[in-house]
Amino acid sequence: MEPLLDRLGRPLETLRVSVTDRCNFRCVYCMPKEVFGREYAFLERKQLLTLEEIARVTRVFAELGVRTVRITGGEPLVRRNVEHLVELLAAIEPKLELALTTNGALLAEKAGALAAAGLDRVTVSLDSLDDASFRAMNDVDFPVAKVLAGIDAAAAAGLPVKVNAVVKRGVNDAAVTELAEHFRGTGHVLRFIEFMDVGTTNGWQLADVVTADEIVERIGARWPLEPVALESPDATARRFRYADGAGEIGVIASVTKPFCGACSRARLSAEGSLYTCLFAARGHDLRALLRGGGTDDELAETLRGIWSRRTDRYSELRTAETAAKSKVEMSYIGG
C-alpha cells in the first residue's frame, strides 16, 4: 500500500486518541483551576465516542498506515472500562503499538488490567519529586508517593515506563537533577519537556521556558551524557545516555527546536473530532459520519482527504514569530 502523505510529504503513522476531556488533576500548565473550575462545562457522556466507535476509527486508521496509538485524555484512566478499549485495539491487525499517557493517580490499581488487556507501554507525567511542589503543580493536593507507587505497579506488571516532566522556570526547574538522580539506574526513561502553550489556557511566556539544551547541560555537568541516535525520523525526543551506563534521558524541545518537519501524528478528540496538529483550533467531525451510517470505506476516504490536505507546522511558525518579536523588542530596548 502506498503511504498516505500530506502536502509536506509527511506520512500518517501515529494516532493520539483522547478518551475523555476530564482529569482528576488541575495542573497549572495544562488545566488550571481558573479556567477548568466548578462551572466548566465538560462533555456529556452521549457526546463522547463509545469505546467501540474509537476502535472502529482506529481500525480504519491502521489500514491507512497508522502503527502507533497513544491513549490520552484529559486523564485516560478516569474513563470507565478503558482497559476494554485496550483489548479492542490490541485485536486490530496489523498489530498496533499501544501506549498510554497518564498522571499516575489511578495507575497502581489499573496497571495489571491494562497489561493483561494488551497495552505495550505507559508514560507517566511527574513534574517534581518534592511533595509540596508536586501538590502545588497538580493543584489538587495529590502526593508524589502515589504516583511513584503507580510507576512501580506498572513495572511489576511488565509495562515499560517512561516518565515525562514539564519544566517551567521558577516553578520546578530546580527539580531537574533530583528527577534525574531518582530515575538513574531504574530502567525507566526520564524525558523533560519544554513548557509550551497548550491552547490558550496556561499563560505561556517564553521567559518561563527552560530550554532542552539547558536541561542537558545541567544534568551532563553532574553525570556526563552521550547523544543517542533518534529512534525514528519523527521522534519527538532527543536522546542522551549516561556515560556510566545508568540509563538514558530524553528532551523534547517543542519550543526551541520544533519537530514539525517530520510530524506524522494525528489526534482524535474524545467527542470524535480529528485534528492534524496538537495545536489546531478546529477539527474535522468524524462522529457525525460514524453515527450517520457512514461505511468504513467512506470513513477511509474522508481521512485520506483530510490528511492529504494537511500543511500544519504550528510550532515552527510560533518559534519563528517569537524569535522575530524578541528581536524587535531587544532592538527597541537598545534604542
Side-chain angles (χ1 to χ4, degrees), residues 5 93 104 121 144 174 184 232 240 244 270 272 302 305:
L5 304 178
E93 295 291 345
R121 55 188 171 88
V144 169
R184 272 171 44 85
S232 63
F240 297 85
D244 63 4
T302 297

Side-chain angles (χ1 to χ4, degrees), residues 116-132:
L119 191 70
D120 292 304
R121 55 188 171 88
V122 66
T123 297
V124 179
S125 299
L126 179 61
D127 301 319
S128 177
L129 290 171
D130 177 77
D131 201 55

Side-chain angles (χ1 to χ4, degrees), residues 128-298:
S128 177
L129 290 171
D130 177 77
D131 201 55
S133 296
F134 183 68
R135 289 173 188 259
M137 290 195 77
N138 65 56
D139 210 13
V140 292
D141 204 31
F142 195 85
V144 169
K146 289 188 176 181
V147 177
L148 295 177
I151 292 172
D152 290 343
L159 292 171
V161 177
K162 291 182 179 179
V163 178
N164 280 357
V166 173
V167 183
K168 184 176 181 181
R169 192 176 300 281
V171 176
N172 69 326
D173 52 317
V176 167
T177 52
E178 183 184 12
L179 282 163
E181 183 170 25
H182 181 87
F183 288 106
R184 272 171 44 85
T186 63
H188 306 324
V189 177
L190 176 63
R191 301 190 302 182
F192 296 97
I193 304 173
E194 292 179 341
F195 177 60
M196 58 184 174
D197 50 338
V198 181
T200 57
T201 62
N202 67 357
W204 183 87
Q205 299 181 67
L206 185 59
D208 293 329
V209 177
V210 180
T211 69
D213 286 346
E214 182 178 343
I215 291 168
V216 171
E217 183 178 348
R218 284 193 199 182
I219 296 174
R222 183 162 178 187
W223 303 285
L225 295 168
E226 302 168 345
V228 179
L230 293 177
E231 294 172 313
S232 63
D234 68 337
T236 57
R238 293 158 51 208
R239 301 166 58 201
F240 297 85
R241 61 172 165 248
Y242 293 108
D244 63 4
E248 69 174 62
I249 65 165
V251 287
I252 300 176
S254 49
V255 175
T256 59
K257 296 178 182 177
F259 34 80
C260 301
C263 179
S264 63
R265 294 163 178 79
R267 176 169 64 93
L268 181 67
S269 73
E271 73 273 26
S273 289
L274 176 65
Y275 295 86
T276 54
C277 176
L278 177 63
F279 300 100
R282 297 175 62 184
H284 305 268
D285 182 16
L286 301 183
R287 188 181 63 194
L289 181 59
L290 288 169
R291 296 182 179 176
T295 66
D296 285 0
D297 285 344
E298 289 171 332

Side-chain angles (χ1 to χ4, degrees), residues 46-128:
K46 65 182 180 182
Q47 295 175 285
L48 299 174
L49 291 185
T50 66
L51 302 184
E52 289 74 19
E53 285 172 334
I54 293 172
R56 180 186 170 195
V57 174
T58 303
R59 186 175 293 106
V60 175
F61 268 106
E63 293 171 356
L64 296 176
V66 162
R67 292 294 172 263
T68 300
V69 174
R70 177 171 294 280
I71 301 168
T72 69
E75 166 50 45
L77 297 187
V78 304
R79 177 74 186 259
R80 185 180 304 172
N81 210 16
V82 68
E83 54 269 38
H84 178 55
L85 174 63
V86 175
E87 286 180 333
L88 295 174
L89 300 181
I92 293 174
E93 295 291 345
K95 175 72 174 71
L96 297 168
E97 181 183 21
L98 302 179
L100 182 142
T101 296
T102 175
N103 59 29
L106 300 173
L107 188 56
E109 62 191 74
K110 289 276 191 178
L114 291 167
L119 191 70
D120 292 304
R121 55 188 171 88
V122 66
T123 297
V124 179
S125 299
L126 179 61
D127 301 319
S128 177

Side-chain angles (χ1 to χ4, degrees), residues 17-55:
V17 177
S18 172
V19 296
T20 180
D21 61 333
R22 298 173 186 266
C23 186
N24 45 5
F25 282 8
R26 285 296 176 269
C27 295
V28 294
Y29 58 81
C30 182
M31 293 181 69
K33 278 183 178 177
E34 56 268 28
V35 178
F36 298 91
R38 291 182 181 272
E39 303 303 316
Y40 186 82
F42 287 97
L43 294 170
E44 297 179 14
R45 186 171 182 83
K46 65 182 180 182
Q47 295 175 285
L48 299 174
L49 291 185
T50 66
L51 302 184
E52 289 74 19
E53 285 172 334
I54 293 172

